[in-house]
Amino acid sequence: MPHDHAEHLSPSGHPYRPDDDGPLSYWQVMEIAVRELLVEKGHVTPEEIAAQIEAMDARSPAQGAALVARAWCDPAFRDRLMADASAASREMGFDIGALHLVAVANDAVTHNVVTCTLCSCYPRNLLGLPPDWYKSRAYRSRVVREPRAVLAEFGLDLPPSVRVRVHDSTADMRYVVIPDRPAGTDGMSEEALAALVTRDSMIGTGLPRTPA
Amino acid sequence: MQPDVPSHWHDMGGGPAGSVPRAEHDFALWEKRVDALMVLMSNKGHFTVDGLRRALEEMGETAFETMSYYERWIAAINRNLVAAGAYDTAELAARMEEVARRGATYGDAQSR
């Protein structure tokens, strides 16, 4: 397999990432040229592009965290979320577009984790753009075969009594994990609970924080 | 257990691989623009997310290993836009040549 490319790795073993102010690359030139041609031919406006970037920047794991915290506090909302996560997200005012979103809930004996083995499908309209590792060969290959080993790399050692369920997303159906509410959070406000919900806990590679 | 039909390269589930690289990076402006072009042009009906994936998959495994995520996306978006008739390859080549002469960095070469 041609993926032993150590020459692309930094001394710490991570891939190099070009800085924004590095030498202009062929693909950056293509992006500029494509964008200019589309604008000149009237297919898109610079304002539409700027607004789209702003909309994507505004999407963040905080939206998902608010959804999870609501589900922890409101059993009726949780029922609606589990039945139709797209509708429940819209109910909270999150513009998730045509995305078909499926919520999968952890409990004392079940841990869910999400991947996309074919490409990089991710609930981006709820959580924002996916982290680099979600799109990596290593994660996509291994999480379906040895999820416990992958989760251990993320610092999540699950006891054998917990069943691990791995969900493989598609372009048309994306999953979000609803983590189990941590112990010791009785009486906390929805807002304080949301602050405990991490991005990785909604992908399944982490757990919510515990209250300080 | 071997499947009867070999998987296409992009079907990575279950394959051998090393540890998960945990470094994350903030998206550069040019990467966000690529993402925005994908969303806008597919919403406007010039092509579909399936068209994007088809082009990405046809680019092959070498492209996956040697190009970054949004490098692959702009290449795949370009293929779809040319196929949809949004512009032709001669127009693109001429514009890329002109853009490349504008400066040494993205900041110098970008418009608007």
Side-chain angles (χ1 to χ4, degrees):
Chain A
M1 301 292 279
H3 43 85
D4 176 25
H5 48 180
E7 70 272 19
H8 298 308
L9 299 182
S10 69
S12 63
H14 294 129
Y16 284 115
R17 290 288 177 188
D19 288 320
D20 292 359
D21 57 356
L24 182 65
S25 76
Y26 176 85
W27 303 107
Q28 289 174 335
V29 170
M30 181 179 281
E31 180 275 314
I32 296 168
V34 167
R35 178 160 46 86
E36 289 182 359
L37 288 172
L38 292 174
V39 169
E40 286 167 19
K41 289 172 179 291
H43 295 305
V44 71
T45 67
E47 291 73 26
E48 285 177 307
I49 295 167
Q52 172 57 33
I53 290 174
E54 201 174 310
M56 186 46 82
D57 279 346
R59 292 177 178 129
S60 82
Q63 293 188 338
L67 194 79
V68 170
R70 175 73 55 87
W72 286 346
C73 294
D74 180 345
F77 179 79
R78 181 191 167 93
D79 290 344
R80 294 197 294 281
L81 176 67
M82 298 312 295
D84 184 343
S86 302
S89 301
R90 290 189 198 103
E91 184 186 322
M92 289 194 66
F94 301 139
D95 169 24
I96 66 159
L99 193 69
H100 184 62
L101 189 65
V102 177
V104 288
N106 293 347
D107 58 33
V109 292
T110 312
H111 183 87
N112 294 282
V113 61
V114 176
T115 186
C116 175
T117 60
L118 292 176
C119 40
S120 56
C121 300
Y122 182 80
R124 66 201 322 261
N125 287 10
L126 182 67
L127 302 185
L129 297 174
D132 291 327
W133 53 259
Y134 186 86
K135 304 181 280 191
S136 71
R137 172 190 293 279
Y139 182 75
R140 292 164 53 189
S141 299
R142 290 177 52 225
V143 76
V144 293
R145 184 165 47 88
E146 45 176 4
R148 287 174 197 272
V150 171
L151 295 181
E153 285 177 32
F154 281 83
L156 189 54
D157 286 299
L158 295 171
S161 56
V162 173
R163 181 178 56 159
V164 178
R165 299 185 67 200
V166 183
H167 302 270
D168 197 355
S169 315
T170 71
D172 305 312
M173 190 162 72
R174 322 225 171 169
Y175 296 94
V176 60
V177 175
I178 309 301
D180 217 9
R181 181 169 174 163
T185 58
D186 291 353
M188 283 177 67
S189 71
E190 209 174 294
E191 196 183 352
L193 287 168
L196 302 178
V197 183
T198 62
R199 177 196 67 197
D200 287 6
S201 75
M202 294 180 280
I203 304 174
T205 53
L207 295 176
R209 300 183 183 98
T210 45
Chain B
M1 191 173 66
Q2 291 297 315
D4 294 336
V5 180
S7 296
H8 196 37
W9 71 267
H10 71 274
D11 187 358
M12 293 183 181
S19 58
V20 177
R22 295 290 300 283
E24 298 182 24
H25 83 296
D26 293 329
F27 296 102
L29 177 57
W30 85 272
E31 295 178 303
K32 293 182 180 185
R33 283 173 164 162
V34 171
D35 199 276
L37 288 178
M38 171 60 205
V39 173
L40 290 167
M41 297 309 284
S42 56
N43 284 350
K44 288 167 183 272
H46 291 272
F47 61 100
T48 65
V49 68
D50 303 299
L52 179 82
R53 276 195 53 196
R54 177 180 172 170
L56 289 169
E57 289 161 19
E58 285 178 353
M59 284 161 60
E61 190 164 22
T62 304
F64 182 85
E65 299 296 348
T66 58
M67 294 163 66
S68 76
Y69 188 76
Y70 282 108
E71 287 175 348
R72 283 177 270 132
W73 267 42
I74 189 59
I77 289 167
N78 175 56
R79 279 188 56 170
N80 277 273
L81 288 173
V82 169
Y87 52 79
D88 64 33
T89 52
E91 289 174 302
L92 178 73
R95 181 57 58 98
M96 285 183 68
E97 230 173 80
E98 191 258 298
V99 170
R101 282 197 300 268
R102 289 180 195 164
T105 68
Y106 184 79
D108 292 335
Q110 68 171 333
S111 56
R112 280 175 252 271

